[in-house]
């Protein structure tokens, strides 16, 4: 019995560290032509007011069904929703109108809806907000050999308390509510800083990744970080912050939740490897139907926390799941690892932005979700243009 248990433990380790490599089936990135989102005009905006407190949780009366049956935005609606504001480090604000080319609203949205799970989410009559669903399945990442290397090194911390993901040489993808509450920019947004975890001193000994496997429950648990390593944040100021009008027009209490993403441009390159963007595939096509993300949860200060879980319901713009998370993880890049047939290698790509915990109460019953904003073809085109500065490098997602 002990040998069988040890064998199952060993197999679980293989699946944890090398999930796709031990499978004969290779889930692949399906490259597709994406629309073009181009700036049409930029004008000075009104003086911003940094009045709001950064909210690390989002709430909405709109559940998955509500989002699914909402009227589909027209071509002109989308141009208004994808228009954006840019907050500059000197405190000035600009507003940019955009034009969309090569896009058909009906064809793009129908694919996402047909692939989504039609099942209604489970309802709980427990009247409390939950960020941890059952057993806490989060892992603390410890050791310089992991914290300072890809893919964990792409996770960064924002001075407003959220997390973010490196998606360019000097660009960070995060949640819009980390810098703007839908009406005002939050306190600290003008002098927004991005923190990179670095070591205070070099250790002569390499540190392993500390995992604890619970044979009784058959899953991994938390582990203690090495005692001899001291880490600190090195901060870089943000030069520009782009926020789509879809968030500003709607904010978290409306359909604007579909646009809870923002891009930060740093004042200087971070000199780390970043993660590529990818158009969010249907949840059924994800390896093991799972999503992954790392962030700086508030209940574990100064520690990077990684988690993965099975994706649940989805709409054209949102992905619902029950990954364990606490405030502070908002803005983390949700990613998947699949085979890139053109480059003949496994590739991790960011396919969404973790928005946070959503608690909905309807007719006396409460529903709990953790919600991620999916990177649709239009959002890919917009974010990619913000990073590249041209549309030629943004045609395939």
């Amino acid at each position: 019995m002990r040998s069988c248990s040890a064998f199952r433990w060993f197999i679980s380790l293989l699946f944890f560290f090398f999930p796709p490599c031990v499978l004969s089936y290779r889930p692949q990135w399906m490259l597709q032509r994406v629309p073009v989102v181009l700036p049409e005009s930029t004008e000075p905006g009104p003086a911003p007011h940094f009045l709001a407190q950064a909210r690390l949780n989002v709430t909405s009366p709109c559940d998955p069904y509500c989002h699914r049956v909402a009227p589909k935005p027209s071509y002109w609606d989308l141009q208004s929703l994808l228009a954006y504001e840019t907050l500059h480090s000197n405190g000035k604000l600009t507003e940019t109108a955009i034009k969309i080319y090569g896009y058909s609203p009906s064809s793009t949205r129908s694919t996402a809806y047909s692939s989504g799970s039609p099942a209604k989410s489970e309802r709980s009559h427990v009247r409390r907000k939950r960020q941890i669903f059952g057993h806490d399945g989060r892992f603390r990442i410890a050791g310089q050999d992991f914290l300072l290397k890809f893919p964990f090194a792409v996770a960064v911390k924002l001075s407003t308390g959220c997390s973010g993901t490196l998606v360019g040489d000097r660009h960070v993808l995060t949640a819009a509510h980390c810098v703007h509450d839908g009406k005002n920019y939050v306190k600290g947004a003008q002098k927004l800083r991005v923190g990179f975890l670095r070591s205070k001193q070099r250790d002569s000994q390499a540190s392993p990744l500390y995992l604890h496997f619970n044979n009784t429950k058959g899953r991994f648990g938390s582990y203690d970080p090495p005692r001899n390593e001291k880490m600190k944040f090195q901060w870089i100021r943000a030069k520009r912050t782009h926020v789509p009008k879809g968030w500003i027009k709607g904010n978290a209490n409306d359909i604007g939740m579909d646009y809870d993403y923002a891009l930060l441009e740093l004042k200087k390159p971070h000199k780390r490897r970043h993660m590529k963007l990818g158009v969010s595939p249907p949840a059924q096509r994800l390896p093991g139907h799972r999503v992954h993300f790392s962030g700086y949860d508030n209940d574990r200060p100064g520690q990077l926390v990684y988690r993965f879980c099975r994706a649940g319901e989805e709409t054209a713009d949102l992905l619902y799941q029950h990954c364990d998370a606490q405030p502070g993880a908002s803005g983390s890049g949700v990613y998947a690892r699949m085979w890139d047939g053109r480059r003949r290698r496994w590739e991790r790509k960011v396919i969404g932005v973790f928005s946070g915990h959503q608690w909905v109460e309807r007719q006396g019953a409460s529903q709990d979700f953790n919600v991620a904003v999916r990177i649709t073809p239009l959002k890919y085109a917009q974010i990619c243009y913000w990073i590249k500065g041209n549309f030629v490098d943004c045609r395939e997602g």
Side-chain angles (χ1 to χ4, degrees):
M1 292 297 292
R2 181 174 297 179
S3 61
C4 291
S5 177
F7 177 75
R8 286 195 297 268
W9 179 81
F10 176 72
I11 293 298
S12 298
L13 274 176
L14 288 178
F15 271 82
F16 179 78
F17 287 109
F18 312 103
C21 301
V22 297
L23 302 176
S24 57
Y25 167 67
R26 285 181 173 179
Q28 296 195 32
W29 293 109
M30 305 296 291
L31 293 181
Q32 57 179 298
R33 297 289 283 181
V34 299
V36 174
V37 177
L38 286 180
E40 183 183 32
S41 62
T42 300
E43 298 179 353
H49 300 288
F50 303 95
L51 302 175
Q53 292 289 343
R55 292 186 301 166
L56 305 185
N57 274 328
V58 291
T59 58
S60 171
C62 195
D63 62 6
Y65 176 77
C66 167
H67 279 270
R68 193 174 289 114
V69 300
K72 297 179 181 178
S74 67
Y75 174 83
W76 307 108
D77 291 334
L78 288 169
Q79 287 195 154
S80 176
L81 293 167
L82 290 172
Y84 58 92
E85 288 188 357
T86 302
L87 176 65
H88 302 263
S89 59
N90 61 6
K92 293 184 178 180
L93 192 69
T94 55
E95 297 181 341
T96 302
I98 60 99
K99 283 285 188 181
I100 301 173
Y101 304 91
Y103 174 73
S104 172
S106 57
S107 63
T108 304
R109 290 179 72 87
S110 60
T111 302
Y113 275 105
S114 63
S115 63
S117 171
K120 291 185 179 180
S121 58
E122 295 182 3
R123 293 197 172 193
S124 169
H125 291 275
V126 179
R127 298 172 61 88
R128 62 186 177 88
K129 300 179 182 181
R130 299 174 301 171
Q131 284 86 18
I132 304 300
F133 299 89
H135 175 81
D136 190 344
R138 296 174 296 166
F139 308 105
R140 289 182 293 171
I141 303 303
Q144 296 180 30
D145 290 345
F146 292 93
L147 283 169
L148 305 182
K149 292 185 180 178
F150 188 87
F152 300 118
V154 304
V156 294
K157 184 177 178 64
L158 272 60
S159 56
T160 54
C162 289
S163 299
T165 302
L166 302 178
V167 291
D169 293 336
R170 59 173 72 207
H171 292 92
V172 176
L173 185 65
T174 188
H177 75 261
C178 296
V179 295
H180 196 290
D181 75 344
K183 296 180 181 179
N184 292 298
Y185 284 89
V186 304
K187 294 179 179 179
Q190 181 179 352
K191 298 181 179 180
L192 188 64
R193 298 179 302 155
V194 175
F196 297 78
L197 203 58
R198 298 187 184 277
S199 60
K200 286 185 177 179
Q201 58 188 18
R202 293 185 177 181
D203 290 333
S204 58
Q205 240 177 359
S207 301
L209 178 65
Y210 283 76
L211 290 174
H212 169 69
F213 185 82
N214 190 319
N215 284 315
T216 304
K217 293 187 177 181
R219 62 185 298 173
F220 292 94
S222 61
Y223 50 90
D224 293 327
R227 303 297 182 187
N228 60 336
E229 290 191 359
K230 295 182 178 180
M231 309 296 288
K232 66 176 181 179
F233 284 105
Q234 179 182 0
W235 299 90
I236 299 178
R237 281 282 303 275
K239 181 179 180 180
R240 298 185 185 93
T241 301
H242 302 296
V243 181
K245 285 285 192 177
W247 172 259
I248 296 170
K249 289 177 180 293
N251 75 57
N253 295 318
D254 201 41
I255 297 299
M257 190 171 187
D258 294 347
Y259 298 89
D260 188 12
Y261 61 92
L263 187 80
L264 317 179
E265 181 186 347
L266 304 177
K267 285 193 170 184
K268 62 180 181 180
H270 52 73
K271 298 181 181 180
R272 288 192 181 189
R273 182 180 172 186
H274 63 267
M275 204 172 282
K276 295 181 179 179
L277 289 177
V279 173
S280 175
Q284 295 175 353
R285 283 192 46 238
L286 294 171
H289 298 178
R290 288 174 176 167
V291 292
H292 310 247
F293 62 95
S294 301
Y296 291 93
D297 300 46
N298 283 3
D299 64 334
R300 301 185 183 182
Q303 297 174 0
L304 181 62
V305 182
Y306 161 78
R307 74 227 78 199
F308 66 92
C309 71
R310 189 178 179 89
E313 291 190 73
E314 60 184 333
T315 67
D317 291 280
L318 300 176
L319 181 65
Y320 297 84
Q321 29 74 25
H322 282 166
C323 283
D324 294 325
Q326 289 284 349
S330 294
S332 301
V334 175
Y335 66 88
R337 183 177 184 264
M338 295 198 287
W339 180 255
D340 188 329
R342 177 180 297 181
R343 295 179 175 82
R344 307 295 300 171
R345 66 187 184 193
W346 296 98
E347 196 84 73
R348 290 179 178 85
K349 294 184 181 181
V350 177
I351 59 171
V353 179
F354 178 57
S355 183
H357 181 75
Q358 184 186 99
W359 183 70
V360 179
E361 185 172 348
R362 300 182 66 187
Q363 299 177 347
S366 62
Q367 297 173 275
D368 290 84
F369 310 99
N370 277 334
V371 188
V373 178
R374 300 176 69 187
I375 296 180
T376 62
L378 276 175
K379 293 171 189 172
Y380 175 93
Q382 181 184 58
I383 298 169
C384 182
Y385 186 89
W386 286 341
I387 297 172
K388 304 287 187 181
N390 68 79
F391 73 90
V392 177
D393 296 329
C394 302
R395 294 310 315 275
E396 292 185 342

